Amino acid sequence: MPLTANDPSRKSWLNVNKDSDFPIQNIPFGVFITKDDVVTIGTRIGDHAIDLGALQQLNYFEGIELTDDMFMQDTLNDFISDGKKTWRLVRNRIAELFDVNNTTLQNNEDHKAVVIFNIEDVEMQLPVLIGDYTDFYSSREHATNVGVMFRDPENALLPNWLHLPVGYHGRSSTIVPSGIPVHRPNGQTLPNGETQPVFGPSKLVDFELEMAFITTDANIMGESIPVEEAEEHIFGMVLFNDWSARDIQKWEYVPLGPFLAKNFASSVSPWIVTLDALEPFRTKGPSQNEPQPLEYLRQEGAHAFDIKLQVAIEPEGEVETVVSNSNFKYMYWSMAQQLAHHTVNGCRVNSGDLMGSGTISGPTPDSFGSMLELSWGGKNPIKMNDGSERKFINDNDTVIMRGYCQNDNVRIGFGEVCSKLLPPFTKK
């Protein structure tokens, strides 16, 4: 089926700034509450939120097989379950409707009044009901940096790392959309030089620059997904701040890995950008020849995406300071390899499952994806624009992550995931 929504020459009759993350070629999907307290599935063009539930009620999706309430729900799970053919038909139809040469909706003031909102007038929600969440550990640079810091530099990567996408099964109950503040977690830590743990707030709260992909219903229990088919089961991607409490993690992670240090919060950007929209930005990932992966993980061609990523820290009442500029293309293991490995044992994957990439670090110090690396465990504090310093994240700091792709024809972006770190929770 042709991908007409991606036509780089297409213009919209809605006003779109040239540096917008959301031109008519993007057409991401999300869930929002309107100023009339209606929850709806929508898309975005420029600074306009578009109510897809209203469009469906007005018969603008006529000819596309959709359940009657497809876009009048509070999650995207059912739409995602319909599969890639439906996603593509809907994106193509939206692109046609908002094309500058199409006057059907453009000249209908009554319809526009109930379909189009200013982005400032809607409240973004978590776009999917996340049943399961897996976090991978797929940046070679990040894994190497952590290995150098905490183990023998000569053996920074553990023996399995170059043979499989390392990951762990996390929790979905505290994954929140951009704008929802996060509390500093309490837990056990082992102070330096001590033999007995203490309880209290984490002193080393960190961000982790990640991206995540959202799956459709991919398989039945016992069935594996071949690596060459895996991308057919990936709906799209979001920015992902996978918060981490480094001091809690250091004490608790042996022998089973992350627990309380990771499950207190993760923050996602609210608009899911489809893999179809990202198609023009495919690129080759790092070489995997030494060693070559096992047969079920081998890939040919371009399966990485050139997504520019940025992290900024904004102290309360001050201007932000950009602390990292990285890129998703640095990831050693691709999304397809992650999903193929995830299911090779027959693990079932459902619509709305979320898979975190793991911290994305590049080859240079200014491209590292966590404060753990940027400050090298606190030894090299980062200077803020207000004159203060950061080893890790302070209370009332806001962490802002942004991401976009750009070529000579079009810019496709994710907006941002923006989260404030509050002091530990206390009951009023």
Side-chain angles (χ1 to χ4, degrees):
M1 185 191 310
L3 193 48
T4 58
N6 286 15
D7 180 355
S9 66
R10 190 190 294 275
K11 304 291 183 187
S12 174
W13 49 265
L14 290 171
N15 182 54
V16 181
N17 293 331
K18 63 179 177 59
D19 58 349
S20 172
D21 280 353
F22 303 101
I24 194 171
Q25 289 81 8
N26 191 337
I27 311 179
F29 292 91
V31 174
F32 58 79
I33 303 177
T34 70
K35 55 188 176 184
D36 297 320
D37 289 329
V38 175
V39 181
T40 186
I41 289 171
T43 189
R44 177 173 177 175
I45 297 176
D47 289 331
H48 307 276
I50 296 159
D51 184 340
L52 298 183
L55 274 181
Q56 184 177 11
Q57 287 178 303
L58 294 167
N59 294 321
Y60 282 99
F61 294 115
E62 190 176 2
I64 301 175
E65 289 188 23
L66 300 170
T67 56
D68 290 343
D69 66 341
M70 178 64 81
F71 295 124
M72 288 160 269
Q73 302 184 37
D74 58 3
T75 75
L76 279 157
N77 293 58
D78 282 357
F79 176 60
I80 294 172
S81 289
D82 262 19
K84 194 165 189 174
K85 178 183 176 182
T86 300
W87 313 335
R88 190 168 286 186
L89 284 169
V90 168
R91 276 188 77 246
N92 285 349
R93 178 67 57 84
I94 295 167
E96 291 166 15
L97 281 172
F98 288 91
D99 189 289
V100 69
N101 296 313
N102 188 332
T103 59
T104 309
L105 177 60
Q106 186 178 173
N107 290 348
N108 192 321
E109 296 301 324
D110 290 342
H111 286 189
K112 286 196 294 185
V114 295
V115 166
I116 302 166
F117 299 88
N118 189 302
I119 197 69
E120 300 297 328
D121 294 332
V122 303
E123 181 182 334
M124 299 305 300
Q125 305 294 293
L126 199 64
V128 289
L129 178 63
I130 302 168
D132 282 299
Y133 157 50
T134 300
D135 191 29
F136 286 96
Y137 188 57
S138 291
S139 161
R140 183 171 185 167
E141 289 81 2
H142 173 68
T144 301
N145 289 338
V146 173
V148 167
M149 258 185 270
F150 295 114
R151 288 190 301 275
D152 173 13
E154 296 300 314
N155 298 289
L157 290 180
L158 291 172
N160 63 350
W161 201 93
L162 291 170
H163 294 275
L164 55 84
V166 172
Y168 73 95
H169 187 82
R171 57 76 205 97
S172 57
S173 58
T174 44
I175 299 177
V176 295
S178 178
I180 302 297
V182 167
H183 286 275
R184 182 178 295 273
N186 289 307
Q188 288 191 28
T189 59
L190 185 68
N192 289 334
E194 299 295 325
T195 58
Q196 295 299 310
V198 297
F199 177 81
S202 167
K203 295 176 181 171
L204 307 180
V205 174
D206 200 355
F207 65 80
E208 290 189 357
L209 171 61
E210 301 194 25
M211 298 202 70
F213 65 86
I214 313 288
T215 64
T216 186
D217 298 297
N219 60 341
I220 58 173
M221 189 172 172
E223 178 188 17
S224 59
I225 300 171
V227 69
E228 62 272 13
E229 297 176 14
E231 287 182 5
E232 296 298 308
H233 303 287
I234 297 173
F235 175 61
M237 299 180 70
V238 291
L239 300 170
F240 192 57
N241 179 1
D242 197 23
W243 294 90
S244 183
R246 300 297 182 186
D247 44 358
I248 295 174
Q249 187 171 3
K250 186 177 180 181
W251 170 236
E252 74 174 1
Y253 84 99
V254 177
L256 292 182
F259 189 37
L260 300 186
K262 299 296 300 175
N263 68 7
F264 65 98
S266 298
S267 304
V268 301
S269 54
W271 294 106
I272 304 174
V273 178
T274 63
L275 241 54
D276 270 355
L278 296 170
E279 192 64 35
F281 304 96
R282 282 186 180 275
T283 186
K284 283 196 172 183
S287 170
Q288 294 182 337
N289 291 324
E290 296 180 10
Q292 192 175 34
L294 295 177
E295 185 79 27
Y296 78 96
L297 287 171
R298 288 179 195 166
Q299 282 187 297
E300 300 292 332
H303 295 282
F305 292 87
D306 184 4
I307 305 172
K308 298 172 177 64
L309 299 168
Q310 184 184 84
V311 185
I313 298 173
E314 182 180 287
E316 190 169 40
E318 301 292 342
V319 296
E320 69 177 53
T321 301
V322 173
V323 296
S324 176
N325 285 290
S326 196
N327 196 300
F328 184 67
K329 69 183 179 183
Y330 297 137
M331 300 303 289
Y332 187 84
W333 295 104
S334 72
M335 293 183 288
Q337 288 173 317
Q338 289 170 341
L339 188 54
H341 183 66
H342 200 307
T343 61
V344 75
N345 66 345
C347 176
R348 187 176 172 189
V349 168
N350 297 316
S351 171
D353 285 354
L354 184 143
M355 313 276 177
S357 62
T359 305
I360 303 164
S361 290
T364 57
D366 61 349
S367 64
F368 294 164
S370 67
M371 291 300 287
L372 178 69
E373 298 162 271
L374 290 163
S375 74
W376 207 253
K379 293 177 183 176
N380 306 314
I382 304 297
K383 195 88 165 176
M384 299 286 104
N385 287 329
D386 66 356
S388 63
E389 292 183 336
R390 293 292 183 278
K391 296 178 181 179
F392 290 91
I393 307 302
N394 287 359
D395 287 349
N396 299 310
D397 282 349
T398 296
V399 177
I400 306 161
M401 294 180 178
R402 303 180 177 98
Y404 68 94
C405 314
Q406 192 157 15
N407 58 26
D408 292 338
N409 299 312
V410 70
R411 172 184 171 121
I412 302 292
F414 294 79
E416 61 183 35
V417 55
C418 179
S419 323
K420 188 174 188 176
L421 180 67
L422 299 179
F425 180 84
T426 55
K427 283 190 176 181
K428 293 181 181 177

